[in-house]
Amino acid sequence: MKTLLFAKLREYYDEMVTIRRYLHQHPELSFQEYKTAAYIANYYKQLGIPVRTNVGGNGIVATIHGQQGGKTVALRADFDALPIQDEKDVPYKSTVPGVMHACGHDGHTATLLVLAKALYELREHWRGTIVCIHQHAEEYAPGGAKAMIEDGCLEGVDAIFGTHIWATAPTGVIQYRTGPIMAAADRFQVVIRGSGGHGAEPHKTKDAIVTASQLVLHLQQIVSRRVNPLEPAVVSIGSFVSDNAFNVIADRATLIGTVRTFSEQVRDDIEQEIEQIVKGTCIANGCTYEYTYTRGYPPVVNHEEETKFLASIAHEIDEVTDVVEIPPHMGGEDFAYYLQRVKGTFFFTGAKAETTTIAYPHHHPKFDFDERAMLIAAKTLGLAAIQYTEK
């Protein structure tokens, strides 16, 4: 079956590239992926594969049955884009102003669609059931995974596998990790309210900018002095806004930031520590504050048996040059919700070509990836699925 599957995927590789480039030219933002969802659903309908639409929102679920017996395995691909202007000079550049696939979700979708086509055509050669989960809104919390799960996308599923095309790792490298591989990703906002006034009379004011500036520095002490150094954690301020004339002391400043953790205890502690520091800083400066902490995705925690199984499968792919266990990554992913419900694993598929001098990171305006990685991802996911169904 492996030989048949790999031959099919090689045969359909050009179609995979065509689909990816079409999607790249026509990106849609999280929770607005109506045309993309219709494109995916129509692809399955034309093949005769049973498909559910509007699963948990814009999600699509297709089910492929092999021969009787065997387990049920789910494969997941996300399909939303980002609010970024595409700055690449390529024929398949985004045609939508201010929106682009800057994280490889177009590649994930093309990979799973063509893999599903190959598996369906070979359904007499394997046992069990494979569920193809096409998920909307990964990029923007609360995300699409949780809603799709609540709408039944994991019903009857024994295990799930997913991959992320990783443009900063060399093509041919599979990166995996047992246990936590990606962090919980939270958001917080602090609004500082002071008492504004004339820039020439600061002694008559309570300066919100000065207070917020102190706060930015004080918050850096959470990770360095409040968190066990053996526990990974990040507290970053990404936005500092206080828009005034040059000669006005600000009465308001807003900070927005992110917290990344793996431990729930550390997550709880940091949420409380931020407010304690905000409160103390504001009291010292005579200001008041509003504090909002929003929990995003939980950490992605891979199951040991399925992760080791996936790593062994990766060694069977001709194009794979190395299989590497990596340290945890502080990025977030709502694949975490699937792994809270069923066994499975999430891994990275390297997609940086050797000829590439600059590998632009994910979420960069010039982001792109080596499309050969899609074939590697399809082979790895496909072989993992058909072999797991017979475990």
Coordinates of all heavy atoms in Angstrom, one line a residue, residues 1-10 122 316 318 379 383 386-387:
M1 N 0.8 -1.2 0.0 CA 0.0 0.0 0.0 C 0.9 1.3 0.0 O 0.5 2.3 -0.7 CB -0.9 0.0 1.2 CG -1.7 1.3 1.4 SD -2.8 1.7 0.0 CE -3.3 3.3 0.3
K2 N 2.0 1.2 0.7 CA 2.9 2.4 0.8 C 3.3 2.8 -0.6 O 3.3 3.9 -1.0 CB 4.1 2.1 1.7 CG 5.0 3.3 1.7 CD 6.2 3.0 2.7 CE 7.2 2.1 2.1 NZ 8.4 2.0 3.0
T3 N 3.7 1.8 -1.4 CA 4.2 2.0 -2.8 C 3.1 2.6 -3.6 O 3.4 3.6 -4.4 CB 4.7 0.7 -3.4 OG1 5.8 0.2 -2.6 CG2 5.3 1.0 -4.8
L4 N 1.9 2.1 -3.5 CA 0.8 2.6 -4.3 C 0.5 4.1 -3.9 O 0.2 4.9 -4.7 CB -0.4 1.7 -4.1 CG -0.4 0.3 -4.7 CD1 -1.6 -0.5 -4.2 CD2 -0.3 0.3 -6.2
L5 N 0.4 4.3 -2.6 CA 0.1 5.7 -2.1 C 1.1 6.7 -2.6 O 0.8 7.7 -3.1 CB 0.0 5.7 -0.6 CG -0.2 7.0 0.1 CD1 -1.6 7.6 -0.4 CD2 -0.1 6.9 1.6
F6 N 2.4 6.3 -2.4 CA 3.5 7.3 -2.8 C 3.4 7.6 -4.3 O 3.7 8.7 -4.7 CB 4.8 6.8 -2.4 CG 5.1 6.8 -0.9 CD1 4.1 7.2 0.0 CD2 6.3 6.4 -0.3 CE1 4.3 7.3 1.4 CE2 6.5 6.4 1.0 CZ 5.5 6.9 1.9
A7 N 3.1 6.5 -5.1 CA 3.1 6.7 -6.5 C 1.9 7.7 -6.9 O 2.1 8.5 -7.8 CB 2.9 5.4 -7.2
K8 N 0.8 7.5 -6.2 CA -0.4 8.4 -6.5 C 0.0 9.8 -6.1 O -0.4 10.8 -6.9 CB -1.6 7.9 -5.7 CG -2.3 6.7 -6.2 CD -3.2 7.1 -7.4 CE -4.1 6.0 -7.8 NZ -4.9 6.3 -9.1
L9 N 0.6 10.0 -5.0 CA 0.9 11.4 -4.6 C 1.9 12.0 -5.5 O 1.8 13.2 -5.8 CB 1.5 11.3 -3.1 CG 0.4 10.9 -2.1 CD1 1.1 10.8 -0.7 CD2 -0.7 12.0 -2.0
R10 N 2.9 11.3 -6.0 CA 3.8 11.8 -7.0 C 3.1 12.2 -8.2 O 3.3 13.3 -8.8 CB 4.9 10.9 -7.2 CG 6.0 10.8 -6.2 CD 7.2 10.0 -6.7 NE 6.9 8.6 -7.0 CZ 7.0 7.6 -6.2 NH1 7.3 7.8 -4.9 NH2 6.7 6.4 -6.6
L122 N -7.5 4.6 -3.5 CA -6.9 3.4 -3.1 C -7.7 2.7 -1.9 O -7.1 1.9 -1.2 CB -5.5 3.7 -2.6 CG -4.5 4.2 -3.7 CD1 -3.2 4.6 -3.1 CD2 -4.3 3.1 -4.8
E316 N 10.5 6.3 6.9 CA 10.2 5.5 5.7 C 10.0 6.4 4.5 O 9.7 5.9 3.4 CB 9.0 4.7 6.0 CG 9.1 3.7 7.1 CD 7.9 2.8 7.3 OE1 7.4 2.3 6.2 OE2 7.5 2.5 8.4
D318 N 11.2 8.6 1.5 CA 12.4 8.7 0.8 C 13.0 10.2 0.8 O 14.2 10.4 0.9 CB 12.3 8.3 -0.7 CG 12.0 6.8 -0.8 OD1 12.4 6.1 0.1 OD2 11.5 6.4 -1.9
K379 N 2.9 12.4 2.2 CA 3.4 11.0 2.4 C 3.4 10.6 3.9 O 3.0 9.5 4.3 CB 4.8 10.9 1.8 CG 4.8 10.8 0.3 CD 6.2 10.6 -0.3 CE 6.2 10.4 -1.8 NZ 7.6 10.1 -2.3
L383 N 0.9 7.8 5.2 CA 1.4 6.6 5.7 C 1.1 6.4 7.2 O 0.7 5.3 7.6 CB 2.9 6.5 5.5 CG 3.6 5.2 5.8 CD1 3.0 4.1 4.9 CD2 5.1 5.3 5.6
I386 N -2.8 5.3 7.3 CA -3.2 3.9 7.0 C -2.5 2.9 7.8 O -3.1 1.8 8.1 CB -2.9 3.7 5.5 CG1 -1.4 3.8 5.2 CG2 -3.7 4.6 4.6 CD1 -1.0 3.5 3.7
Q387 N -1.4 3.1 8.4 CA -0.7 2.2 9.3 C -1.4 2.2 10.6 O -1.5 1.2 11.3 CB 0.8 2.4 9.3 CG 1.5 2.0 8.1 CD 3.0 1.9 8.3 OE1 3.5 1.9 9.4 NE2 3.8 1.7 7.2

